[in-house]
Amino acid sequence: MARVTVLDGLLPELFDLLASPLGLIVRGLTELLSPLVTHSALVMLTADASGGRIQCTGDTAVQRGMRGLDVDQLRRGVGGVEGVHRTTLRVGDSQRPALQVLARNGALLVITDPGPVAASAPLLDIWNIVSLHLQERADEAAPEYLRHARSTAGVRLQALSEIQDEYSATLDSILAPLRSGQLSDAAARDSAIARSAAGLTRLNAMTEQARAVAEESVSMSFARLKEELWAATRHWHVDLEFIDPPEGDHLVPDDVARGARAVVTRVILSRMESSEVSRVRVQWDCDGNDLVVRVRDDGDGGTLDADALRQIAGQRVHALRGQLSVSSTAGWGAELSAVLPLDPPPAGPSTAALAGLRPREMQVATLLAAGSRNRAIAEELGISENTVKFHISRILQTLQADSRAEAIAALLADRQS
């Protein structure tokens, strides 16, 4: 008799989960896992699911208290060992028990306040399947996915700006000892300097950590492209030539790097169908502002080749706000060139969020979503900083947001849909 496992009984639900939209997978996953382990919340850190790195559902305290950088630190602490690991998770001022489920592709699932677990193998099996599915969806890099990823990259940078704002406020508060009448001038000065130095050191460390999570070097991304293409074309008769990016090793946002690899891969796979192609050259350049991708082949060329390349790459390049050019000459082959900007798209507030705001609050919200600080907003609108703070407080209340970062995310919601 064939062995029936726990996973076999969940296959219909697992199939429905994998067929659901990317943004709903975390909710479906919590329902799927509930019979295996009760929990208060789930946190997913995947390759780039839904254009972002982290998704969470369940306990609102966990959702508000967890940041992508925190979860990435948890993953690094596991040491890359696939499996289910028990840990504790700091949420606010308390420590909460948790399970870390690390898939073989490096994706991390955090299960907070877990109940008894009869067997950890089904948890790992399900997460390996789900995380691989998310990875494949990201690697396919459909135009809608890339457009979403570019928009979400702007929110990530807004969140980083929020961290800087918080630390600026902290550093401002350090001036308190200098104004205190209870300390001598020397003691107050020494205290302020020490606290300022510690705060700046931590801010710099957090900024570098954020960059490490959201970016990768162009040389590393190109090396990954070569590995993927060699694996996919190892039985192909065509000679693949790779021109490595010049020295300098600029950092590229991960959504741009993934999109560039998707464009090249799609073009190469389409060339495999042509028996006339015997040589393809792939070249990347980066000057710190744009990533330039070039693919050239020695096929038949002509109008049909040019049209096919535009159809394959056009939507993906435009989704990344890039510029595409294709040249093709009969008998000489075709060349595709895509220029992809590294900066995220400018942020603009959503009409749905603005609908509940007063006229002046709408003006403040527009500048807030663009990344302006209180002083800049005050100068732009000709009002005091205290008035700006009052308007922002009203905006947070209207949007039911607990912080500027949450408000910005709500204001940008339409651009991410």
Side-chain angles (χ1 to χ4, degrees):
M1 179 180 295
R3 186 173 66 94
V4 178
T5 67
V6 174
L7 188 57
D8 293 328
L10 297 175
L11 285 180
E13 291 82 358
L14 181 58
F15 178 83
D16 292 339
L17 173 65
L18 298 181
S20 62
L22 284 172
L24 299 179
I25 283 183
V26 66
R27 297 180 186 177
L29 185 60
T30 193
E31 296 176 2
L32 181 65
L33 295 183
S34 291
L36 300 180
V37 54
T38 59
H39 53 275
S40 62
L42 286 186
V43 183
M44 298 193 323
L45 181 64
T46 59
D48 220 357
S50 260
R53 287 182 170 271
I54 183 171
Q55 288 186 321
C56 184
T57 188
D59 189 343
T60 55
V62 176
Q63 296 190 51
R64 292 173 180 173
M66 292 299 298
R67 293 184 295 113
L69 297 180
D70 297 328
V71 184
D72 190 67
Q73 286 279 32
L74 287 176
R75 178 170 60 177
R76 295 172 188 269
V78 176
V81 180
E82 176 190 1
V84 180
H85 313 273
R86 290 195 174 273
T87 185
T88 57
L89 189 67
R90 175 171 289 278
V91 178
D93 297 329
S94 63
Q95 292 282 352
R96 307 267 286 266
L99 291 177
Q100 299 181 65
V101 187
L102 185 67
R104 61 175 58 98
N105 69 348
L108 179 66
L109 177 68
V110 180
I111 304 173
T112 61
D113 302 315
V117 180
S120 60
L123 292 178
L124 184 58
D125 289 340
I126 291 174
W127 181 234
N128 268 322
I129 293 171
V130 172
S131 63
L132 179 61
H133 171 73
L134 292 172
Q135 178 71 53
E136 290 176 346
R137 292 279 290 272
D139 287 344
E140 289 174 0
E144 309 80 47
Y145 169 86
L146 295 175
R147 199 173 292 113
H148 190 120
R150 281 273 71 192
S151 177
T152 306
V155 177
R156 288 201 299 266
L157 292 181
Q158 294 287 1
L160 180 58
S161 176
E162 179 68 14
I163 294 174
Q164 293 173 326
D165 285 343
E166 291 293 335
Y167 267 80
S168 295
T170 301
L171 294 178
D172 288 340
S173 70
I174 292 174
L175 294 174
L178 299 177
R179 301 190 182 101
S180 173
Q182 299 178 355
L183 298 175
S184 66
D185 290 346
R189 183 175 61 252
D190 290 343
S191 175
I193 291 174
R195 294 182 183 183
S196 298
L200 287 173
T201 298
R202 186 176 176 188
L203 175 59
N204 289 334
M206 292 181 69
T207 302
E208 290 302 315
Q209 186 183 6
R211 288 175 178 168
V213 170
E215 298 176 320
E216 64 182 13
S217 68
V218 65
S219 62
M220 180 182 298
S221 182
F222 193 74
R224 186 174 299 172
L225 172 68
K226 289 194 289 187
E227 291 179 4
E228 293 171 355
L229 285 178
W230 274 325
T233 63
R234 60 184 180 274
H235 301 303
W236 193 25
H237 65 280
V238 172
D239 179 23
L240 278 178
E241 178 186 4
F242 294 96
I243 309 299
D244 290 332
E247 294 184 2
D249 219 16
H250 296 287
L251 292 176
V252 179
D254 51 11
D255 51 296
V256 175
R258 185 178 298 281
R261 293 198 300 270
V263 168
V264 174
T265 301
R266 293 291 176 177
V267 170
I268 296 296
L269 294 180
S270 72
R271 299 290 87 182
M272 291 177 65
E273 300 175 1
S274 174
S275 59
E276 283 74 23
V277 175
S278 62
R279 184 181 182 87
V280 178
R281 184 181 67 191
V282 180
Q283 181 176 0
W284 281 15
D285 290 308
C286 185
D287 60 3
N289 297 314
D290 301 294
L291 177 63
V292 181
V293 176
R294 296 186 179 91
V295 182
R296 181 174 179 81
D297 66 59
D298 62 351
D300 285 345
T303 303
L304 292 179
D305 251 4
D307 291 343
L309 289 175
R310 290 191 185 94
Q311 184 176 3
I312 293 168
Q315 287 186 313
R316 288 180 171 82
V317 171
H318 294 152
L320 292 167
R321 300 187 308 119
Q323 299 294 322
L324 176 69
S325 63
V326 177
S327 60
S328 184
T329 304
W332 290 89
E335 181 174 5
L336 175 146
S337 177
V339 180
L340 307 176
L342 304 185
D343 291 333
S350 71
T351 54
L354 292 179
L357 302 179
R358 299 168 182 170
R360 176 63 85 179
E361 292 167 356
M362 292 174 63
Q363 294 175 326
V364 173
T366 300
L367 296 172
L368 178 66
S372 300
R373 299 188 179 183
N374 290 359
R375 180 175 298 178
I377 295 174
E379 293 175 354
E380 176 73 19
L381 300 180
I383 57 180
S384 69
E385 285 192 58
N386 285 334
T387 303
V388 171
K389 293 178 181 178
F390 172 77
H391 286 313
I392 290 178
S393 175
R394 276 272 309 148
I395 291 170
L396 295 181
Q397 182 179 359
T398 302
L399 300 180
Q400 296 183 342
D402 291 330
S403 67
R404 291 168 67 108
E406 285 189 23
I408 289 171
L411 291 168
L412 299 176
D414 281 357
R415 296 178 61 88
Q416 300 178 56
S417 61

